[in-house]
Amino acid sequence: MQSNGSAFERADPTPLPPGTRIAMALEYQGSAYRGWQRQDKPHVSSVQAAVESAVSHVAAQPVSILCAGRTDAGVHASHQVVHFDAPVARSAKAWLAGSNALLPNDVAAKWVRPVCEDFHARFSATARRYRYLILNQARRSAHLVGGVTHFDLPLDAELMHREAQCLLGEQDFSAFRAASCQSLSPMRNIHFISVTRFGRLVMIDIQGNAFLHHMVRNIAGVLMAVGSGQQSPGWTADVLATRDRTKGGVTAKPHGLYLVDVSYPDDYDLPKQSPGPEFIRAFVPA
């Protein structure tokens, strides 16, 4: 039986044969990167390039990595899942420790697992979960810069929560997708969404089968407009019904957005843990 990914877990030192498919969980602070996806220009940094460089050094040859969900510039992850096919014999311990020794300080591998060859970080996933963190106070915080979105008008978190419930279920989210979104369908299924206040921190917690480009940030922007009284209650449903992105107001900033969980069928037996980001676990229940 596999570990649940606890803070004191030790990766298995048993060598794995070449060709083993490896699943890896990552966390990263996205402020310094132009998003997850590797860029054509070598001077433009991406999380994918940083991870591939580290894993390739461990393998002593190039390794390509695929992720569960591509995060945008400035967006963070406390639980991104990737996979790659190991070109050489290495243990899970070697992949984990070696990668962490070579990764930049704002990217870390959390665990490594061998998985069956039909596992795919993106296509095997059944759900993604995001949290959007809003520091709701008059002044910004120097210590939380880049890690939260600062909003200086009072927010009614209970109203925002009620407002958000119209987004549940499978619906057309055209009004919440970026103009540059390349998805073939605007249909997405939202499993749950909640808005909760923890002191001066307001958290939007949302899970769905998948998300359109900028979808969570556009939802956050609409909910903040209603919660601050800049728009009337019911505006979220009105925007959704238009299926028109131009009716949905501004896109919320990326700083407060975290990919916090990716769900897979139990058959893959991947570690489970409470969603992050880690610095708010003392305040937010699992």
Side-chain angles (χ1 to χ4, degrees):
M1 183 175 180
Q2 291 183 342
S3 165
N4 65 354
S6 72
F8 297 99
E9 177 183 354
R10 296 291 184 265
D12 192 339
T14 306
L16 299 167
T20 300
R21 179 152 292 189
I22 301 294
M24 175 186 286
L26 302 166
E27 62 182 16
Y28 49 85
Q29 220 280 358
S31 298
Y33 301 95
R34 290 289 298 272
W36 164 265
Q37 190 169 8
R38 187 192 319 108
Q39 304 292 311
D40 293 333
K41 300 176 181 178
H43 64 280
V44 177
S45 59
S46 69
V47 182
Q48 182 181 12
V51 176
E52 286 183 340
S53 176
V55 172
S56 295
H57 274 86
V58 176
Q61 58 185 285
V63 177
S64 296
I65 290 176
L66 296 172
C67 74
R70 293 179 294 180
T71 50
D72 292 334
V75 174
H76 320 295
S78 65
H79 195 81
Q80 170 76 273
V81 178
V82 304
H83 84 263
F84 61 92
D85 293 325
V88 293
R90 299 282 190 274
S91 67
K93 180 179 180 180
W95 288 119
L96 182 64
S99 296
N100 275 327
L102 294 161
L103 285 166
N105 289 336
D106 49 9
V107 183
K110 299 167 63 177
W111 51 253
V112 166
R113 291 288 188 279
V115 288
C116 56
E117 63 181 12
D118 71 348
F119 175 84
H120 193 288
R122 178 184 175 190
F123 298 121
S124 300
T126 57
R128 285 89 173 161
R129 182 175 179 178
Y130 286 86
R131 283 177 166 175
Y132 192 84
L133 304 182
I134 307 159
L135 180 64
N136 189 210
Q137 62 182 29
R139 62 170 181 83
R140 63 181 178 83
S141 168
H143 295 291
L144 296 176
V145 63
V148 297
T149 289
H150 172 234
F151 195 81
D152 62 0
L153 298 175
L155 288 172
D156 185 337
E158 293 182 1
L159 172 59
M160 292 168 66
H161 176 79
R162 294 194 301 271
E163 187 78 4
Q165 302 315 300
C166 69
L167 302 173
L168 294 174
E170 186 169 2
Q171 303 192 62
D172 184 329
F173 284 92
S174 294
F176 295 95
R177 70 188 296 184
S180 58
C181 182
Q182 298 178 352
S183 175
L184 297 178
S185 171
M187 303 299 293
R188 293 294 186 271
N189 190 339
I190 300 302
H191 302 157
F192 65 76
I193 180 169
S194 65
V195 184
T196 312
R197 177 178 288 278
F198 303 93
R200 285 173 283 184
L201 183 71
V202 174
M203 182 178 72
I204 302 171
D205 194 350
I206 182 170
Q207 179 176 294
N209 64 331
F211 291 87
L212 302 164
H213 191 205
H214 286 178
M215 180 173 160
V216 178
R217 290 168 58 193
N218 289 332
I219 289 172
V222 167
L223 293 178
M224 285 191 286
V226 175
S228 62
Q230 296 175 91
Q231 294 290 343
S232 301
W235 189 54
T236 306
D238 292 343
V239 169
L240 180 68
T242 68
R243 301 183 182 179
D244 183 352
R245 173 65 200 119
T246 65
K247 307 299 184 184
V250 301
T251 300
K253 295 177 182 179
H255 318 304
L257 184 57
Y258 294 79
L259 173 61
V260 300
D261 197 18
V262 184
S263 299
Y264 294 94
D266 291 340
D267 291 350
Y268 292 120
D269 199 21
L270 296 180
K272 301 182 188 300
Q273 61 185 41
S274 299
E278 195 163 338
F279 74 88
I280 64 166
R281 284 188 180 145
F283 309 101
V284 179

